[in-house]
Amino acid sequence: MGSALFIGCVVYAGLCLSLYLWQERLVFHPANAIVGTPQDVGLVYEDLYLHAGDARIHAWYVPAENAQLSVLFCHGNAGNVSHRLETLSLLNSLGVNILIFDYAGFGLSDGKASEVQTYRDVEAAWRFLVEDKRTDPRAIVLFGRSLGGAVATWIAAKEEPGALIVESTFTSIIAMGQKQYPFFPVRLLARVHYSPVELIDKIMSPKLVIHSREDETVPFVHGVTLYDKAKEPKTFVEIRGSHGSGFLDSGRDYIVPLQSFLRKVEQSLVP
């Protein structure tokens, strides 16, 4: 009995150590192969590399004719920019410029993904819009999907964008870890600390929270909690469908409120 308990404790301690040491591998799931470009969906674009600390970050800038707004899009924790062509096409149809980038270690970006590095990455993307494209920060909409919502919320709290959109985003990575690993002391083991719920109430810009009640990865309550914590002005849109395809599954129930929100941000730019 005693030896079995000892072995169980050793195994449990080993699993805890693995969770601690290999955390980034559990959080980030990059793909390096580029499977398409905006040209494949009929979009003109600029192929870019941005400097984010020691990493060189790959990005695409997709302009729209007579656009007043620029969307800085932060994608989720898997794949790369080439897996977001449907999103680029959808946003372009709404008449906004788009800057989408890959985190370090994703796609053609070099370096290694980490929480701190993703913050450097989005800072580099923000600087590109403000400094290279001479974009008024009030005309920048930060848009994050899934883990990208945490990254977008972080930069929104640091800068003063025209608006923030978070879609299918968790309240905190620790809350997600506790859901997936209920038998481990996730809070004690955590080295990754994304926590948009602690930042969203600091953002004075208009906010749009989008979430599906059918989301099988990030429970609907996370979106509701983010919305409740956010200060006015804010809007909540419930969509349908899965975590990865809700924006497509919902059709006009997604597009119409998103377009309405963007038009309101545009109107706020009028003197």
Side-chain angles (χ1 to χ4, degrees):
M1 180 69 176
S3 61
L5 179 61
F6 175 76
I7 292 171
C9 289
V10 170
V11 170
Y12 182 79
L15 291 172
C16 287
L17 182 61
S18 297
L19 284 174
Y20 180 79
L21 293 177
W22 304 109
Q23 221 158 104
E24 280 81 5
R25 294 191 180 186
L26 296 173
V27 174
F28 303 106
H29 303 282
N32 296 118
I34 299 297
V35 298
T37 72
Q39 185 176 355
D40 296 331
V41 290
L43 301 178
V44 175
Y45 73 106
E46 297 178 37
D47 198 49
L48 308 165
Y49 283 92
L50 312 174
H51 292 285
D54 295 330
R56 197 172 69 130
I57 300 304
H58 180 235
W60 289 331
Y61 180 74
V62 182
E65 189 173 357
N66 301 318
Q68 297 184 55
L69 298 179
S70 292
V71 169
L72 172 48
F73 189 85
C74 306
H75 66 66
N77 71 328
N80 59 53
V81 290
S82 69
H83 299 105
R84 273 77 190 186
L85 296 181
E86 290 168 316
T87 294
L88 294 180
S89 183
L90 188 156
L91 290 173
N92 178 263
S93 74
L94 298 181
V96 297
N97 303 318
I98 311 150
L99 177 63
I100 186 171
F101 64 98
D102 265 331
Y103 310 116
F106 285 68
L108 301 180
S109 297
D110 58 28
K112 183 180 179 182
S114 69
E115 179 183 4
V116 171
Q117 184 60 49
T118 59
Y119 296 153
R120 295 192 188 109
D121 301 339
V122 74
E123 282 182 316
W126 175 272
R127 286 196 307 271
F128 172 80
L129 286 178
V130 173
E131 298 174 8
D132 293 67
K133 290 297 182 181
R134 306 292 184 189
T135 307
D136 184 340
R138 296 178 306 136
I140 298 176
V141 177
L142 293 165
F143 190 157
R145 181 177 290 148
S146 192
L147 179 138
V151 178
T153 300
W154 180 86
I155 191 71
K158 185 174 182 290
E159 305 291 347
E160 295 183 10
L164 170 68
I165 301 172
V166 291
E167 180 182 323
S168 308
T169 296
F170 50 75
T171 54
S172 74
I173 199 76
I174 289 176
M176 288 297 294
Q178 290 171 330
K179 171 179 175 285
Q180 294 184 23
Y181 305 102
F183 300 109
F184 294 95
V186 171
R187 188 173 297 277
L188 293 176
L189 296 172
R191 291 186 295 108
V192 179
H193 295 95
Y194 292 113
S195 188
V197 75
E198 295 181 5
L199 296 174
I200 201 164
D201 64 339
K202 298 175 173 60
I203 300 165
M204 298 299 106
S205 309
K207 291 157 289 288
L208 173 62
V209 179
I210 304 172
H211 217 108
S212 170
R213 196 176 292 272
E214 301 164 12
D215 192 320
E216 76 287 2
T217 301
V218 180
F220 184 69
V221 68
H222 284 249
V224 173
T225 301
L226 287 174
Y227 174 77
D228 289 343
K229 186 71 180 294
K231 294 178 179 176
E232 295 286 354
K234 60 182 179 179
T235 304
F236 187 88
V237 172
E238 180 179 338
I239 58 174
R240 60 183 179 276
S242 69
H243 180 74
S245 63
F247 71 103
L248 295 173
D249 299 337
S250 301
R252 288 184 58 79
D253 290 337
Y254 177 90
I255 295 171
V256 171
L258 175 59
Q259 185 175 38
S260 176
F261 181 79
L262 293 173
R263 295 295 85 85
K264 288 179 182 178
V265 179
E266 283 181 349
Q267 291 168 9
S268 72
L269 298 175
V270 178

